[in-house]
Amino acid sequence: MKLPRYRVTTALVALPLVVALLLAGCDLAPVSDSEQIANVETIRAGTPTATSTATSTSTPTNTPTSTPTVGPSPTATATPLPPTPTPNPALAGFNFCNQLSPGAAARFSAQISAADVTGSPAFEQLLLSFEPGLDSAPVQAGLSCLSAADAQILNGLVDTADPYLLRVEMPGWLRDEQFASSIITQTLSFTTTRTIQSLSLVPSNDPVAGATLLIGLAEPLPYRLTLQRNPTRLTVAVARNSTLVAASDTLQIPTGGGVPQLAAPLFYLYDGDLWRLDSATAAPVNLTDSPETETSFALSPDRERIAFCRAAPGLDPADATLAVPSALWTMAASGGQPKLLAQVGVSCADPAFSLDGKTLAFAVDETGAVPTQWSIFTVAASGGTPKRTQEAGDAWSRFAPQWLEGGALIYVAQAEDGRHTLFLRAPGGEVLDVGAPLMVGDATTSRYQSFGRPLVAQDGRRIAVEALRSDTSGADLLILAADGDLIETIGAQTLLPPLLPATATPVATATLMPSATLTPTATRTAKPTVTPDPSVTSEVTNTPSPSPTDTPTPTDTPTATATPTVTSEVEPTPTATLQPEPPAEPQYEGSFWSRPLAWDAEGNLLYLTTLCSSSLVHDYQIYRWQGPKQTELLATGQSLSGYGQAVFVEGSLAYFSINQPPPALRGPLVDAPRSSAALWLWDLQAGVRGKLLILDRGVSLLR
């Protein structure tokens, strides 16, 4: 069995957080007291009220004899938007976003002197009192939620019976005498709480600095991080009930009473072979079914021909260190005997048909050396001699070609020294660097550091591409004309004015703390922090950039001990002399990630925007771009799943949902061939959405 390479276009990054929130109007009580009042009615006050509930009736379908299985056809009636939660003022600032304490990251010396738990009807909170060392930098921390399975991959062995974990990362915590004298060295247990029941400390492998605090959760719950100075107290508050319900994930809710009719066949890579999903029968058909591995493919504009890169049998590109030999082949979309079209250099990637279907562009690794140096070649679709589109021997590696109107080509270029741009090759052969002007912010700064893979409209007149920001985490979605000129930027962040300290309001339990953006806005931002790099499989492999909040690797496995005495008493409330501390770093308003999904036949772009940086919950919005300043919101949702590639077919959007996305930030394109997945079809005009296919593993490409 051929298993494609495990890839995901994402990175581990930290998002500067922007909303200051005051914990007010909610009196805290010891857990022993608050448990008595947390009855059904008070808990219900913090529970979202669904406006509609999707119901489904499974209709059995015939299971094909091929490996993928066609899933049941749910028949349900549901609104296209998720239920609207009833706001609870006590949970202001609670969300699933990764959160950071204010101020610049620095190493600090501190001792945990007390660990207390308190509760209210809406939430519980853990309060950690720190005693900073002499002349120490301020305590800094980051908070995120992730599954226990992801924690095992990221943190190593984590001894927990809970399926989810809140992770308090403190990479700058010096492992000195102050650290060693903390009241917690491995695990504390809390017996009087229902939500926060344990706290584990996991030192990093670095003997100098770094530790992670882990709080086990039975389910994903919204949370909030606050940090008070003088005295130093870090508070992790966790809601008792989650806003994430079954109907939250709009893209996986059947609507319209059935499954949309597939107007044309769909094609995808699965298990190293090319597959077709027939429009008439909705049955998957293996088109290649060979010992060779198909690594990438393209579909002609009339959907009659397929061009694909095929690796030699017995060599799996997913397991190879060096380039695996591959060549460019073609075949009829209906199946039949494949034909070798071009064999240039060592391997091929990224085939793309011209708008008239007569010419193919593809990337070629001519040497097999590391790092890979890709070149762009063209060849007639009917056969002939491949031609290089640029002179050999320069510093640029070129990949991901896409055709534009008039026979022009646009593609990504990357230099070994880290430079990154977009090149546009005119029909006459002139090459323009259209990426350089887009990257420039002002005379002294660079707005973007790199670009994603371009997605060209069906008529070749528009280009959508992710632009990875330089000054902040994230990426914008750029819409370009066919000549490379910028038409519109989607998702640009806005710098917020400085947070002014309060002058007369006492602080109840913690100072104000920047939190993640809470409210979706019409203008979205995106957040790739990776540099696309082609591989023999033609996919962009993104390497996470190290950051101060990267998860430390434990040296000791936490054990279930509870020797220290843990109190549940509320410490005296600070007086009004404690003022909210303004953040030391610039704060921005905007969303985390925006990426293109697919162009329709009318030149409209569907794109996906992710609200904030999160390691577990994907808070998304689907928009339709119809021209400059003309954007329509189609759907919003929250999901524990990930979303892969999408394509428009005769007015319907086809897309893959990934059931188990890799341990990474949610929002970027997910490509996880070892995870189960489902193929969905959404007829936007009729409002019908349903599941077409269930696969026990994911796919690499969809056309």
Side-chain angles (χ1 to χ4, degrees), residues 68-115:
T69 59
V70 178
S73 302
T75 57
T77 300
T79 60
L81 296 178
T84 302
T86 301
N88 186 343
L91 297 178
F94 285 69
N95 52 60
F96 294 103
C97 305
N98 295 350
Q99 302 174 21
L100 290 175
S101 60
R107 290 187 174 183
F108 61 89
S109 174
Q111 170 198 36
I112 297 180
S113 57

Side-chain angles (χ1 to χ4, degrees), residues 85 201 257 290 326 467 469 551 553 581 601 610 619 670:
L201 186 147
S290 66
S326 61
R469 304 188 193 109
T551 305
T553 302
E581 179 180 298
T610 302
D619 197 337
V670 176

Side-chain angles (χ1 to χ4, degrees), residues 66-68 266-268 270 273-277 284-287:
S66 53
T67 302
L266 287 171
F267 300 84
Y268 56 93
Y270 172 78
D273 288 323
L274 267 170
W275 291 74
R276 184 186 71 244
L277 188 65
V285 178
N286 192 333
L287 295 177

Side-chain angles (χ1 to χ4, degrees), residues 339-412:
K339 172 187 175 183
L340 178 63
L341 185 64
Q343 188 164 11
V344 185
V346 176
S347 59
C348 82
D350 304 339
F353 277 95
S354 60
L355 300 184
D356 60 9
K358 295 180 179 180
T359 309
L360 279 158
F362 60 107
V364 173
D365 176 7
E366 296 183 82
T367 65
V370 178
T372 305
Q373 187 82 1
W374 295 95
S375 301
I376 304 298
F377 278 72
T378 61
V379 64
S382 58
T385 302
K387 299 178 181 178
R388 184 188 288 108
T389 61
Q390 78 283 339
E391 296 294 331
D394 63 10
W396 295 101
S397 177
R398 300 166 171 85
F399 54 96
Q402 291 280 288
W403 291 90
L404 301 169
E405 63 176 353
L409 277 171
I410 189 167
Y411 45 84
V412 183

Side-chain angles (χ1 to χ4, degrees), residues 19-72:
V19 179
L21 298 166
L22 180 62
L23 187 63
C26 181
D27 295 330
L28 295 178
V31 172
S32 57
D33 297 334
S34 64
E35 288 291 318
Q36 303 302 317
I37 62 174
N39 53 32
V40 174
E41 294 301 321
T42 55
I43 292 301
R44 188 175 296 162
T47 305
T49 302
T51 57
S52 63
T53 302
T55 60
S56 61
T57 303
S58 298
T59 302
T61 58
N62 294 329
T63 302
T65 56
S66 53
T67 302
T69 59
V70 178

